[in-house]
């Protein structure tokens, strides 16, 4: 295995992941010994508006994929409106390849609980929810245990640490639908309805849970808050780039020697990340990859020096998204990978709008035909035409995201499609995959 250079190793900036290797850091006594709840004590002595200003100043951007400025979002919550305010943590991590929130909640659940209390205090909420993916049984167990410990220790409930501030926190498990990671579908699900997206605007900031002002933030966003409170905005901005500040947890999967989570300052290049992960597996050359999950356009081996921050990835033609870096080699097929992702989107489409519901259904059928050796040149136009009718015409981001692997794989790897169609490549699917197609 190749060893990363000292310069590359220095790019590791363990902040949110720093307790992951401490045994039992998920227990309150261990967490407290490792600085736990020190940020909460500090925050409760600060005016809520000053906390919002601190988060704005840090430049923290949402870690759920969109990168929206967190302080700005908190600042949208109307004040003195007489309505209850809510904080909802989106822990429904489900984007293919994404794996940063679940390990955080398993290894260090109190950091999220502490972030929830500080963020709720800042936006003047007295009730908060963590909506966690249904399949994440172990992480949910750890979180519930942490919440119980926090109540017993006086970090949750009435008059927290004698400050006069009250907060209740509920951990709610979803039922395993990817669409419930879309913030408004999540809110509907939390209210007990079928999880389907709502029209935006109005945004949750003004019309969220029970039609009240609500901040919906990702796990990584909220877990960053205690560190910013303790270290200050200037320290946070020593990591990352001018517009993408702080550390980021990158999840590497696929053809690297050591897949896993690597927390680095934003702006590290893909080449350096691969080096941190021990390099590509022996005999494999990087051919294509996703910067932030399957909803982000594929990039190629030629993009290996792309800096992994919001702006640089956008300049390369993709989206940083959830920093789920899935790496594929010259031994992997971009057509087949795209087909597998499309099967996922087709399965997870909530069916509310026609472009996504019907478009994904048809695209899956076309992929099956191509991969069975029955495709035609016309199929490529059909794919592009269908994708164009989904993108920008869908009710929520799921539809748009589904088109990303289709259009980008056709942009970079059209020859692979032609090889199936013109018989140079052996069919990947048997003819019976076409049954019903
Ligand atoms: P978005 O850009 O529409 O919104 C981002 C956030 O900003 C939302 O909370 C939204 O309410 C808020 N916002 C935006 N404009 C606002 C305004 N004018 N006023 C008030 N609030 C405003 O993005 P999105 O559709 O919520 O999320 C898309 C992202 O989700 C994609 O980038 C994708 O990478 C990511 N994603 C993540 C996962 C996962 O498992 N973490 C899964 C699927 C998709
Ligand atoms: Fe549902 Fe897909 Fe439409 Fe989103 S884009 S509302 S998931 S059918």
């Amino acid at each position: 295995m190749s060893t990363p250079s000292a310069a590359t190793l220095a790019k590791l900036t363990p902040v949110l992941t720093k307790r992951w290797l401490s045994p039992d850091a998920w227990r309150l006594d261990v967490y407290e010994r490792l600085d736990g709840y020190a940020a909460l004590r500090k925050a409760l002595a600060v005016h809520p508006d000053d906390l919002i200003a601190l988060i704005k100043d840090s430049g923290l951007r949402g870690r759920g994929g969109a990168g929206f400025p967190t302080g700005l979002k908190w600042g949208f919550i109307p004040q003195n409106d007489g309505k209850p305010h809510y904080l909802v943590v989106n822990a429904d991590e489900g984007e293919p390849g994404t794996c940063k929130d679940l390990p955080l909640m398993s290894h260090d659940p109190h950091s999220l609980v502490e972030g929830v209390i500080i963020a709720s205090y800042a936006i003047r909420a007295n009730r908060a929810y963590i909506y966690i993916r249904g399949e994440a049984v172990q992480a949910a167990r750890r979180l519930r245990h942490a919440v119980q410990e926090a109540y017993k220790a006086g970090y949750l409930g009435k008059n927290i640490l004698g400050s006069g501030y009250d907060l209740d926190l509920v951990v709610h498990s979803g039922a395993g639908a990817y669409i419930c990671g879309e913030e408004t579908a999540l809110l509907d699900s939390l209210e007990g309805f079928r999880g389907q997206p709502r029209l935006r605007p109005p945004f949750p900031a003004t019309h969220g849970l029970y039609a009240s002002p609500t901040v919906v933030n990702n796990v990584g966003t909220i877990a960053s808050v205690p560190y910013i409170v303790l270290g200050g905005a200037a320290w946070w901005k020593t990591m990352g780039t001018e517009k993408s500040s702080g550390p980021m947890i990158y999840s590497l999967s696929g053809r690297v020697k050591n897949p896993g989570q690597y927390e680095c300052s934003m702006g590290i290049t893909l080449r350096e990340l691969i080096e941190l992960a021990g390099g590509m597996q022996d005999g494999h050359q990087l051919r294509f990859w996703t910067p932030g999950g399957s909803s982000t356009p594929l990039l190629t081996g030629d993009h290996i020096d792309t800096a992994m921050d919001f702006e640089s990835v956008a300049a390369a033609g993709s989206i940083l998204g959830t920093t789920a870096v899935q790496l594929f080699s010259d031994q992997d097929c971009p057509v087949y990978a795209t087909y597998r992702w499309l099967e996922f989107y087709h399965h997870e489409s909530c069916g509310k709008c026609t472009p996504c519901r019907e478009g994904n259904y048809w695209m899956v059928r076309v992929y099956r035909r191509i991969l069975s050796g029955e495709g035609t040149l016309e199929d490529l136009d059909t794919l592009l035409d269908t994708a164009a009718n989904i993108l920008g015409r869908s009710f929520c981001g799921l539809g748009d995201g589904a088109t990303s692997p289709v259009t980008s794989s056709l942009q970079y790897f059209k020859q692979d499609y032609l090889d199936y169609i013109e018989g140079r490549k052996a069919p990947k699917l048997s003819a019976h995959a076409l049954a019903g197609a």
Side-chain angles (χ1 to χ4, degrees):
M1 186 200 313
S2 54
T3 313
S5 68
T8 305
L9 277 175
K11 300 238 169 182
L12 280 171
T13 48
V15 177
L16 278 77
T17 53
K18 73 175 183 185
R19 296 190 194 88
W20 289 15
L21 292 179
S22 305
D24 298 338
W26 53 274
R27 283 182 8 215
L28 180 60
D29 55 333
V30 179
Y31 181 72
E32 284 176 325
R33 276 207 299 280
L34 299 169
D35 280 348
Y37 291 103
L40 176 63
R41 290 176 199 280
K42 189 172 171 188
L44 290 175
V46 173
H47 192 276
D49 290 346
D50 293 336
L51 282 175
I52 296 179
L54 171 75
I55 298 303
K56 275 187 185 160
D57 191 24
S58 73
L60 175 66
R61 293 172 66 173
R63 287 347 194 196
F68 195 83
T70 306
L72 186 64
K73 192 189 275 191
W74 292 9
F76 286 147
I77 298 292
Q79 296 305 328
N80 306 316
D81 54 343
K83 286 188 176 176
H85 299 169
Y86 297 105
L87 175 74
V88 176
V89 178
N90 187 342
D92 195 56
E93 182 173 61
E95 173 79 351
T98 306
C99 188
K100 62 183 180 57
D101 299 339
L102 297 189
L104 189 148
M105 292 185 287
S106 291
H107 296 303
D108 195 13
H110 277 286
S111 66
L112 178 60
V113 173
E114 185 174 5
V116 166
I117 306 167
I118 298 170
S120 301
Y121 170 72
I123 63 161
R124 300 166 171 92
N126 296 110
R127 198 166 180 84
Y129 295 86
I130 300 174
Y131 186 102
I132 186 168
R133 182 178 167 168
E135 296 95 330
V137 179
Q138 156 76 352
R141 200 180 290 136
R142 284 270 166 94
L143 258 185
R144 290 199 171 93
H145 181 263
V147 169
Q148 278 173 6
E149 285 188 313
Y151 266 106
K152 271 192 203 146
Y155 297 127
L156 281 169
K158 297 268 178 236
N159 191 21
I160 294 170
L161 299 177
S163 64
Y165 173 61
D166 305 336
L167 178 69
D168 283 312
L169 171 57
V170 175
V171 177
H172 179 96
S173 287
Y178 173 66
I179 191 56
C180 289
E182 195 284 335
E183 62 177 7
T184 58
L186 185 156
L187 295 176
D188 264 15
S189 169
L190 201 50
E191 289 180 11
F193 298 107
R194 179 175 175 174
Q196 284 193 317
R198 302 174 184 171
L199 195 62
R200 297 184 314 179
F203 288 95
T206 52
H207 296 74
L209 191 64
Y210 307 118
S212 290
T214 303
V215 162
V216 184
N217 271 151
N218 169 261
V219 169
T221 314
I222 292 297
S224 299
V225 170
Y227 301 102
I228 297 172
V229 169
L230 273 186
W235 163 76
W236 185 261
K237 288 191 286 195
T238 59
M239 294 169 281
T241 67
E242 191 190 338
K243 292 187 177 163
S244 300
S245 65
M248 180 67 108
I249 304 174
Y250 297 90
S251 339
L252 269 66
S253 62
R255 300 292 195 180
V256 277
K257 286 185 178 153
N258 298 313
Q261 293 79 23
Y262 295 86
E263 189 178 16
C264 308
S265 295
M266 275 208 263
I268 187 167
T269 64
L270 179 72
R271 187 187 294 278
E272 290 164 329
L273 278 173
I274 293 174
E275 200 188 325
L276 284 172
M280 295 292 289
Q281 289 172 6
D282 292 335
H284 291 265
Q285 293 288 325
L286 177 66
R287 186 156 186 241
F288 61 101
W289 55 287
T290 67
S294 55
S295 306
T296 62
L298 298 177
L299 293 176
T300 71
D302 291 342
H303 297 101
I304 193 167
D305 289 309
T306 303
M308 298 294 285
D309 57 75
F310 290 106
E311 288 67 37
S312 305
V313 174
S318 189
I319 305 168
L320 186 65
T322 58
T323 56
V325 185
Q326 302 169 93
L327 298 134
F328 297 84
S329 78
D330 48 354
Q331 296 180 37
D332 301 313
C333 172
V335 185
Y336 188 65
T338 302
Y339 161 67
R340 294 297 305 270
W341 283 318
L342 268 190
E343 286 241 314
F344 171 81
Y345 290 113
H346 167 49
H347 183 258
E348 295 296 335
S349 168
C350 81
K352 180 167 179 156
C353 68
T354 309
C356 168
R357 184 189 61 238
E358 300 300 322
N360 280 315
Y361 170 75
W362 283 107
M363 288 201 296
V364 165
R365 287 162 64 113
V366 174
Y367 271 92
R368 283 191 191 145
R369 199 156 60 214
I370 294 171
L371 287 162
S372 307
E374 303 286 331
T376 64
L377 281 178
E378 219 186 351
D379 284 337
L380 303 188
D381 293 333
T382 305
L383 286 177
L384 286 176
D385 187 45
T386 311
N389 278 292
I390 298 175
L391 187 66
R393 291 179 166 84
S394 296
F395 196 81
C396 83
L398 189 150
D400 289 349
T403 68
S404 288
V406 176
T407 50
S408 55
S409 62
L410 274 162
Q411 176 187 352
Y412 294 118
F413 303 109
K414 189 170 175 186
Q415 190 59 47
D416 289 71
Y417 286 82
L418 293 174
D419 286 348
Y420 281 113
I421 291 169
E422 293 167 355
R424 285 182 295 275
K425 216 166 174 181
K428 192 97 174 153
L429 297 178
S430 63
H432 83 260
L434 285 173

